[in-house]
Each structure stands twice: as C-alpha cells, then as structure tokens.
Amino acid sequence: MMQNVSHVRFFFLSGLNETVNYRVVLFSLTLLCYCFIVLVNVALIVTIIFDKNMHEPMYILLCTFCMNGLCGTTGFYPKILWDLLSPVHVISYSGCLVQAFVMYSFACSDMSILAVMSYDRYVAICRPLEYHSIMSKQRVLLLVCFSWLTPFCIVSTNLFLTSRLKLCSPFIERLFCVNWVIVKLACFPDDTIVNNIVAYITIIIYVFHGFFTVWSYMYVIKTCVNSLENRAKFMQTCVPHLTSLLIFLVAILFDIMHIRYGSTDLPQALNNFIAIQFLVLPPIMNPLVYGFKFTKIRKSILGRITVTIEFLRCQ
C-alpha cells in the first residue's frame, strides 16, 4: 500500500468531460450568468453604501450578504470559464484547497448572516422599543465579524486537516474542488477519522444556526398574528429573508446529500447541476428578491437609473 502513496501536486477535474460539443454555448451562458450576478449584487451594494437613509442594521446586513455572494461566486466562475475554453481541466493542489476554502466559507457565512438577519427582525418586531439600543452600530459590526470570522476559523480547521492527508489519486469527479471529495482520495481511510469528526461538528454548528433562525421567526410570527402593523412589517421585511433562507437551504442540502450519499450512476449533467445550484440560485435570487420587495431599495435604484438616463440624454 505504501508504494501507491504519492504527493499530489495537481488535480484533474472531470466534471466537463462530456461537454466537448457544447463548450461555446456553456461558456456564453456561464459568462452571462456571472455578469448578471455581479451586476445585481454590485447594484444593491452600491445603492446601500451611497444612500444614507439605508445606513441601518437591516440594510448593512443585506449589504454584507451580497458581498459574501460576490466572494463565493468569484471563487467558482472565473475558473469554470477558463476550463470551458481549455482542453485540459487541471488545478494545482494549493489552488484546489483555496477554492474549497472559498466555497465552504461562502456557504457557512451565508448561513451565519441569515441567522443574524433573523435575529435583527426578531428584535425589530418583538422588541421594537429596544431595537436601537440592542442593534447598535457596535453590535452590528460584531455580528458581521462573527458571520465572517467564525466560518473562516471553522473552514480553515477542516482544510488544515485535509492538507495533512496523503492522497492516492489526483482525479476529482466534480466541476470544482470540495473538501469532502479531497478527503475521499486519502490513501488510508483511518487517517480521515478526525476529518469526519470535525466535518460532522461543522454540520451540527450550522444546523444550530438553522434552528436559531427558525426559533427567531416563530417568535416573530407569534407576535405578528394579532397586530396589523406587525403583519405589514413582516410581509415587507421578513418574507424576503425567509425566501432567501429557503432557497439557500434547499440548494445547500441537495449538494451536501449528493456529495456524501449521492449515486455515482447519475448523468454527469445532473451531477453538475446539483453541484452548482447553490452558486447560481442564491446569488441571483437574493438581490432580486430584496430589490423588488424593499421599497427603499427599489425607489433608490429606479431613481439612480432615471438620473443616469437623463444625464446621458443631455450629453
């Protein structure tokens, strides 16, 4: 067994092997999708940053949410676009770990930000008189740091343990690098016990994030039942959060279940769709849902578009 152990310097990604005849079409669609994601997220971020009326906890968290979406998609789309134009799909060992880090950090941070946003709505609706004292600028800053630094530490721990494994194969049957797939390439299964334990602890931590989010909204719904004003506030601000949470959870759960327990007999196109849906649906849908539902954002964006059109007419 020891003779088969080798130091892997590159990984070969096989997710695009069956797409040779459709590369140009897939490249065009992927580029269009990425440009649209960048456009809608940057539009929302810029609107919130430059509109002083939106310098409130809810909009600051939304801005953080969109920034995280941009970071996550940037870890995937440039590489897949390059691969669609390349005859060989390879990635360096260190590049693979970096990509896995970006993917996992994006997913974990999204879950943390959604939990913080649910807490913000709980305080706003259930404890409105205390809202500004509880959700102060310092508290919001701490919560944003928590949403980014906690996933950073957790994902770094997972990938550090992965980097210590001796791998016996450089072939990854995916479009991009995923920590659990790299772990499965280990020569000695006994070496992955700690990786498995830490991975399950990570899953449990973010399951608790989900329970906290559900708990917050249960209290919000209970408070809104007997109040017409609170019901209007719930429809205006909480429905977008719940929509984002549902989209994200469905996408990420499909991917986790597929990675760990999925069948290898599925068509490659279906495997690819399951793998990338959490990198397509949430980054596109979240800015659109919030942009259309939040009156302030919608009016601000339409106002800026109108000003830009008038400016161009005058030139």
Side-chain angles (χ1 to χ4, degrees), residues 267-291:
Q268 191 178 73
L270 181 57
N271 284 329
N272 290 344
F273 173 75
I274 294 171
I276 67 170
Q277 59 178 331
F278 81 100
L279 292 162
V280 177
L281 297 179
I284 289 177
M285 294 302 297
N286 291 337
L288 294 179
V289 168
Y290 286 105

Side-chain angles (χ1 to χ4, degrees), residues 109-311:
S109 293
D110 253 17
M111 197 68 208
S112 296
I113 295 167
L114 284 167
V116 172
M117 292 170 88
S118 70
Y119 176 70
D120 172 74
R121 291 300 84 202
Y122 160 75
V123 176
I125 293 175
C126 300
R127 302 167 66 180
L129 298 179
E130 304 171 73
Y131 180 74
H132 291 290
S133 60
I134 294 175
M135 297 301 291
S136 61
K137 289 183 179 179
Q138 293 79 6
R139 181 72 57 83
V140 172
L141 180 61
L142 285 174
L143 291 172
V144 169
C145 290
F146 161 80
S147 301
W148 274 339
L149 294 179
T150 304
F152 177 88
C153 296
I154 292 173
V155 175
S156 295
T157 302
N158 278 272
L159 287 169
F160 171 72
L161 293 171
T162 300
S163 68
R164 299 173 66 200
L165 297 174
K166 292 178 180 178
L167 308 180
C168 280
S169 173
F171 298 100
I172 294 177
E173 297 180 358
R174 302 271 296 189
L175 292 170
F176 56 91
C177 293
V178 179
N179 182 52
W180 181 245
V181 175
I182 301 172
V183 170
K184 290 197 291 187
L185 300 177
C187 298
F188 310 108
D190 289 345
D191 291 345
T192 66
I193 293 173
V194 177
N195 294 74
N196 284 322
I197 293 171
V198 173
Y200 281 116
I201 290 172
T202 301
I203 291 171
I204 290 169
I205 289 171
Y206 287 98
V207 166
F208 275 112
H209 278 59
F211 281 133
F212 175 80
T213 304
V214 172
W215 173 84
S216 299
Y217 281 118
M218 284 177 63
Y219 272 89
V220 169
I221 292 170
K222 185 178 178 181
T223 303
C224 291
V225 169
N226 299 319
S227 170
L228 189 61
E229 182 183 349
N230 283 338
R231 267 183 281 176
K233 191 183 292 186
F234 177 84
M235 293 301 296
Q236 180 68 26
T237 63
C238 295
V239 169
H241 297 162
L242 287 171
T243 305
S244 295
L245 179 65
L246 183 62
I247 292 170
F248 176 76
L249 286 179
V250 170
I252 205 70
L253 284 174
F254 260 105
D255 190 48
I256 291 173
M257 296 301 290
H258 179 62
I259 290 173
R260 288 185 171 264
Y261 312 109
S263 171
T264 56
D265 298 328
L266 293 175
Q268 191 178 73
L270 181 57
N271 284 329
N272 290 344
F273 173 75
I274 294 171
I276 67 170
Q277 59 178 331
F278 81 100
L279 292 162
V280 177
L281 297 179
I284 289 177
M285 294 302 297
N286 291 337
L288 294 179
V289 168
Y290 286 105
F292 282 115
K293 193 65 180 174
F294 282 19
T295 306
K296 276 188 179 181
I297 294 176
R298 187 172 65 250
K299 286 183 177 179
S300 182
I301 291 176
L302 291 175
R304 290 177 186 278
I305 292 173
T306 302
V307 170
T308 303
I309 292 173
E310 290 297 326
F311 175 78

